[in-house]
Amino acid sequence: MKIAVINGSSRENGNTDALTQKALDGIPFTSFYLKNYKINPIDDQRHDEGGFVKVDDDYEVLIRQILQHDVLIFATPVYWYGMSGVMKNFVDRFSQSLRDETLNFKKAMSEKKAYVITVGGDYPRIKGLPLIQQFQYIFDFLGTEFVGYLIGEANAPHEILSDSKSLGDALSFNTALLKHTDK
Amino acid sequence: MKIAVINGSSRENGNTDALTQKALDGIPFTSFYLKNYKINPIDDQRHDEGGFVKVDDDYEVLIRQILQHDVLIFATPVYWYGMSGVMKNFVDRFSQSLRDETLNFKKAMSEKKAYVITVGGDYPRIKGLPLIQQFQYIFDFLGTEFVGYLIGEANAPHEILSDSKSLGDALSFNTALLKHTDK
Amino acid sequence: MKIAVINGSSRENGNTDALTQKALDGIPFTSFYLKNYKINPIDDQRHDEGGFVKVDDDYEVLIRQILQHDVLIFATPVYWYGMSGVMKNFVDRFSQSLRDETLNFKKAMSEKKAYVITVGGDYPRIKGLPLIQQFQYIFDFLGTEFVGYLIGEANAPHEILSDSKSLGDALSFNTALLKHTDK
Amino acid sequence: MKIAVINGSSRENGNTDALTQKALDGIPFTSFYLKNYKINPIDDQRHDEGGFVKVDDDYEVLIRQILQHDVLIFATPVYWYGMSGVMKNFVDRFSQSLRDETLNFKKAMSEKKAYVITVGGDYPRIKGLPLIQQFQYIFDFLGTEFVGYLIGEANAPHEILSDSKSLGDALSFNTALLKHTDK
């Protein structure tokens, strides 16, 4: 099973990264840092004659790479109680992929498993729940199996590594992921 | 009372626009179409020495204009069960404003009233609820009064104008807004 | 179309009643006040040999009456951010109906349309949303179409009748319901 | 620190019990099985002259016992995407306690810490989230600190003990609780 981590942080080596590393300890994966790609906001042309116009950015190459994987892990800090804007722009572009006949996007996504890893500073295990529900609706729409999620709590850099609850949950996540991807 | 509509659509004259017009019928307001401004994603420098670096885009000028208003109406299509990426990038930048000592952002926001207007195509009155809850947490953090929201249902362009439930709710929203801003 | 209102209030003539009357103005319906029936809490015997034992209360007669209707309106005050305990006990007993072969409960429910009307005193249009989502999962499980909901705000008796937002929304609800049941 | 487990199951030795035992391994606590007490539904007399009438059941004695504890763990199966009706009737009666001047209920509750443990069979880590949010609003209202929650997945009796994810999370919960109550 090939695992892709889609990372929506604006910083590398932040808490989301650190928790993701813990959660994936001993498991091979490939990271895609969205901030290192040029991804334009969606221009909603679903109802335009001619449909979506080709966009001159990195999205299409990126999504084709990501679709080579079996398991997608969406890793994002909780920014203002949602996924980061960078990740939201990425997800919004799925609308374009849905209409790209060469991609077969929905079928491809329906065969994948998804996880969410998120870290927030303001009571994320409660205030991050709408974000989890939002992902649920996204995966439901695509037919992607939403296998699990991990919510960490941290603010200052590296703080996550001293939060025993986050680390304990990461270990539980790691065990379940190992078991799941071992098949 | 001065009303600003912060519009996160990627299209003008779409359903979100149409519903917003209905909801604000007879009430003066100023629109800000986020897509017409250059707004970079947040670069999280909260913990960097020196803090946030000045960003060369339109955000700062825009937020200062918006803060001149008493009532903020966030109008966004439901994209993938959340606000549009364009609006999310705008909101993410609030983190920067919070650290801009010349703005007094949190105090300013705590004196405003906020509304949300959103239109979705996939069962938005249920699947849009995490978005409403996300806004609730945003406004709670800022101390902004979240007075109300309006959820419309539509897909194809102009469809909203034939959805009697959306129009009925817009009328109820309009009456409440009029009463509220009349003081 | 036959409409049943399943009322979970502990008081008659309370705000939930008043809002329901407004919402159903001009539309024939039958009320069932749960508090007037003896409904025991579920005794989870799903996994017992022999399954559920017949319970000596009013639930079974009541559910058979309710199932004679095409549209079910669950009307409950928001008590502690959920449906009333009386209504929860009623809903919990659905587990028993699911196993009653003479009822064909799930099929019957899958052919019905459902609405929720609820009134709360503590910011119900936000803090009542988990209750709406809970109903969504209930109806999803049963295959019942969750057509719409109405949230009113009131505390003291009869207060709902002076809340213009609740009344405006009730009117919009009424129009949509009329249109819907007119077919 | 004295810990009370308020158990809303209709069965003893069910999955909720088993997970609670795991989560509390090595930690002293006192269980209160709500099903073993007579707890009437609330009769909303908040607005009656004279207020609430004394109810002839076990609630008042029970709540006084529970209030002797510092940490309250609400343990309930997920029934129809909410707490059990038995637990809901118990919580609904808080309205009465709030008006009992001899109890000082809100102050007492504001000094306590609360946890939720819940087990469901239908995708509870997603579909149980409205229940967690409902508890958040309950504890927010009372000023009770909502320290954490644990969601287990199981259906048939004893199934929880073979769900490695639930057990891993219970271990993480246990460690955090130990650390927290050790002070």
Side-chain angles (χ1 to χ4, degrees):
Chain A
M1 275 202 161
K2 291 173 69 185
I3 300 179
V5 172
I6 302 162
N7 193 306
S9 292
S10 73
R11 290 185 293 148
E12 288 187 49
N13 302 314
N15 285 307
T16 303
D17 270 16
L19 188 65
T20 303
Q21 292 286 350
K22 286 282 174 193
L24 289 167
D25 193 46
I27 301 171
F29 67 95
T30 307
S31 270
F32 298 90
Y33 282 89
L34 296 177
K35 80 181 188 66
N36 296 336
Y37 296 82
K38 180 162 182 272
I39 300 174
N40 291 353
I42 186 83
D43 187 5
D44 183 2
Q45 300 173 314
R46 285 175 300 162
H47 308 289
D48 288 15
E49 228 179 302
F52 283 96
V53 169
K54 203 170 163 54
V55 182
D56 182 26
D57 67 0
D58 301 328
Y59 172 76
E60 197 179 324
V61 169
L62 178 61
I63 195 70
R64 286 183 188 273
Q65 280 184 278
I66 286 172
L67 288 176
Q68 303 304 316
H69 299 76
D70 309 295
V71 175
L72 308 185
I73 299 181
F74 290 78
T76 178
V78 183
Y79 282 167
W80 292 96
Y81 313 104
M83 67 181 82
S84 70
V86 166
M87 183 171 276
K88 190 60 188 12
N89 272 336
F90 171 74
V91 169
D92 284 358
R93 293 287 292 282
F94 289 0
S95 297
Q96 193 164 355
S97 294
L98 281 170
R99 276 160 186 83
D100 180 344
E101 290 173 10
T102 69
L103 264 187
N104 217 345
F105 184 69
K106 200 162 179 177
K107 180 167 185 305
M109 288 299 288
S110 76
E111 293 163 358
K112 301 194 186 307
K113 294 172 189 310
Y115 293 84
V116 169
I117 297 177
T118 190
V119 177
D122 180 21
Y123 214 26
R125 292 183 190 97
I126 294 294
K127 297 189 180 177
L129 297 185
L131 172 59
I132 300 300
Q133 294 175 313
Q134 188 177 334
F135 270 115
Q136 173 215 352
Y137 288 133
I138 292 171
F139 298 137
D140 274 3
F141 181 89
L142 294 169
T144 308
E145 186 191 351
F146 187 7
V147 188
Y149 57 86
L150 170 63
I151 302 176
E153 182 157 8
N155 244 312
H158 313 304
E159 205 180 89
I160 197 92
L161 299 176
S162 57
D163 183 50
S164 62
K165 174 72 178 140
S166 298
L167 296 180
D169 289 350
L171 182 62
S172 175
F173 184 98
N174 183 268
T175 308
L177 183 61
L178 261 173
K179 200 168 173 178
H180 201 248
T181 54
D182 200 34
K183 291 165 193 167
Chain B
M1 277 202 160
K2 292 172 68 184
I3 300 179
V5 172
I6 302 162
N7 193 306
S9 291
S10 73
R11 290 185 292 149
E12 288 187 51
N13 302 314
N15 285 306
T16 303
D17 270 16
L19 188 64
T20 303
Q21 293 286 352
K22 287 282 173 192
L24 289 166
D25 192 46
I27 301 171
F29 67 95
T30 307
S31 271
F32 299 91
Y33 282 90
L34 296 177
K35 79 180 188 68
N36 295 337
Y37 297 82
K38 180 163 182 271
I39 300 174
N40 291 353
I42 187 83
D43 186 5
D44 183 2
Q45 301 173 313
R46 285 175 301 160
H47 307 289
D48 288 15
E49 228 179 303
F52 283 96
V53 169
K54 204 170 162 56
V55 181
D56 183 27
D57 66 0
D58 301 329
Y59 172 76
E60 197 178 324
V61 169
L62 177 61
I63 195 71
R64 285 182 188 274
Q65 280 184 279
I66 288 172
L67 289 176
Q68 303 304 316
H69 299 76
D70 309 295
V71 175
L72 308 185
I73 299 181
F74 291 78
T76 177
V78 183
Y79 283 167
W80 293 96
Y81 313 104
M83 66 181 83
S84 69
V86 166
M87 183 170 276
K88 190 62 187 12
N89 271 336
F90 171 74
V91 169
D92 283 359
R93 293 288 291 282
F94 288 0
S95 297
Q96 193 164 356
S97 294
L98 281 170
R99 275 159 187 82
D100 180 343
E101 291 174 9
T102 69
L103 263 187
N104 218 345
F105 185 68
K106 199 161 178 176
K107 181 167 185 306
M109 288 298 287
S110 76
E111 293 163 358
K112 301 194 186 309
K113 295 173 189 310
Y115 293 84
V116 170
I117 297 177
T118 190
V119 178
D122 180 22
Y123 214 28
R125 292 182 190 98
I126 293 294
K127 297 189 180 177
L129 297 185
L131 172 60
I132 300 301
Q133 293 176 314
Q134 187 178 336
F135 270 115
Q136 173 215 353
Y137 289 132
I138 292 170
F139 298 137
D140 274 4
F141 181 89
L142 295 168
T144 309
E145 186 190 349
F146 186 8
V147 188
Y149 57 87
L150 170 63
I151 301 175
E153 182 158 8
N155 243 313
H158 313 304
E159 205 180 88
I160 198 90
L161 299 175
S162 57
D163 182 51
S164 62
K165 174 72 178 139
S166 299
L167 296 180
D169 289 350
L171 182 62
S172 175
F173 184 99
N174 184 268
T175 308
L177 182 63
L178 260 173
K179 200 168 173 178
H180 200 249
T181 54
D182 201 35
K183 291 166 192 166
Chain C
M1 276 201 160
K2 292 173 69 185
I3 300 179
V5 172
I6 303 161
N7 193 307
S9 292
S10 73
R11 291 184 292 148
E12 287 187 52
N13 303 314
N15 285 306
T16 303
D17 270 16
L19 188 64
T20 302
Q21 294 285 351
K22 286 283 174 190
L24 289 167
D25 192 46
I27 301 172
F29 66 95
T30 307
S31 270
F32 298 90
Y33 281 89
L34 296 177
K35 78 180 188 70
N36 296 336
Y37 296 83
K38 180 162 182 273
I39 300 174
N40 291 353
I42 186 83
D43 187 5
D44 183 2
Q45 301 173 313
R46 285 175 300 161
H47 307 288
D48 288 15
E49 229 178 303
F52 284 95
V53 169
K54 205 170 162 56
V55 181
D56 182 26
D57 66 1
D58 301 328
Y59 172 76
E60 196 178 324
V61 169
L62 177 61
I63 196 70
R64 286 181 187 274
Q65 279 183 278
I66 287 173
L67 288 177
Q68 304 303 315
H69 298 77
D70 309 295
V71 175
L72 308 185
I73 299 181
F74 291 78
T76 178
V78 183
Y79 283 167
W80 293 95
Y81 313 105
M83 66 182 82
S84 69
V86 166
M87 183 171 277
K88 190 63 187 13
N89 272 336
F90 171 73
V91 169
D92 283 359
R93 294 286 292 282
F94 288 0
S95 297
Q96 193 164 355
S97 294
L98 281 171
R99 275 160 186 81
D100 180 342
E101 289 174 11
T102 69
L103 262 188
N104 217 345
F105 185 67
K106 199 162 179 176
K107 181 167 184 307
M109 288 299 286
S110 75
E111 293 163 357
K112 301 195 185 308
K113 295 173 189 310
Y115 293 84
V116 170
I117 296 177
T118 189
V119 177
D122 180 20
Y123 214 26
R125 292 182 189 98
I126 294 294
K127 298 189 179 178
L129 297 186
L131 172 60
I132 300 299
Q133 293 176 315
Q134 189 177 333
F135 270 115
Q136 173 215 353
Y137 289 132
I138 293 170
F139 298 136
D140 274 3
F141 181 89
L142 294 169
T144 309
E145 186 189 351
F146 186 9
V147 188
Y149 57 87
L150 170 63
I151 302 176
E153 182 157 8
N155 243 311
H158 313 303
E159 204 181 89
I160 198 90
L161 298 176
S162 57
D163 183 50
S164 62
K165 174 72 179 139
S166 299
L167 296 180
D169 289 349
L171 182 61
S172 175
F173 183 98
N174 183 268
T175 308
L177 182 62
L178 260 173
K179 199 167 172 179
H180 200 249
T181 54
D182 201 34
K183 292 165 193 168
Chain D
M1 277 202 158
K2 292 173 68 184
I3 301 179
V5 172
I6 303 161
N7 193 305
S9 291
S10 73
R11 290 184 293 148
E12 288 187 51
N13 303 314
N15 285 306
T16 302
D17 270 16
L19 188 65
T20 302
Q21 293 285 352
K22 286 282 173 192
L24 289 167
D25 192 46
I27 301 171
F29 66 94
T30 307
S31 269
F32 298 90
Y33 282 89
L34 297 177
K35 78 180 189 70
N36 296 336
Y37 296 82
K38 180 163 182 272
I39 300 174
N40 291 353
I42 186 83
D43 187 5
D44 183 2
Q45 300 173 314
R46 285 174 302 160
H47 308 288
D48 287 16
E49 229 179 303
F52 284 95
V53 169
K54 205 170 162 54
V55 182
D56 182 26
D57 65 1
D58 302 328
Y59 172 77
E60 197 177 324
V61 169
L62 178 61
I63 196 70
R64 286 181 187 275
Q65 279 184 279
I66 287 173
L67 288 176
Q68 304 303 316
H69 299 76
D70 309 294
V71 175
L72 308 184
I73 299 181
F74 290 78
T76 178
V78 184
Y79 282 167
W80 293 96
Y81 313 104
M83 66 182 83
S84 69
V86 167
M87 182 170 277
K88 190 62 188 11
N89 272 336
F90 171 73
V91 170
D92 283 0
R93 294 287 292 282
F94 289 180
S95 297
Q96 193 165 354
S97 294
L98 281 170
R99 275 159 187 81
D100 180 343
E101 290 173 11
T102 69
L103 262 189
N104 218 345
F105 184 67
K106 199 162 178 177
K107 182 168 183 308
M109 288 299 286
S110 75
E111 294 164 358
K112 301 195 186 306
K113 295 173 189 310
Y115 292 85
V116 170
I117 296 177
T118 190
V119 177
D122 180 21
Y123 214 26
R125 293 182 189 98
I126 294 294
K127 297 188 180 177
L129 297 185
L131 171 60
I132 299 300
Q133 294 175 314
Q134 187 178 337
F135 270 115
Q136 173 215 352
Y137 289 133
I138 292 170
F139 298 136
D140 274 3
F141 181 89
L142 295 168
T144 309
E145 186 190 349
F146 186 8
V147 188
Y149 57 87
L150 170 63
I151 302 175
E153 182 158 8
N155 243 312
H158 313 303
E159 204 181 88
I160 198 89
L161 299 175
S162 58
D163 183 49
S164 62
K165 175 72 179 139
S166 298
L167 296 180
D169 289 350
L171 182 61
S172 175
F173 184 98
N174 182 268
T175 308
L177 182 62
L178 260 173
K179 199 168 172 178
H180 201 248
T181 54
D182 201 34
K183 292 165 192 168

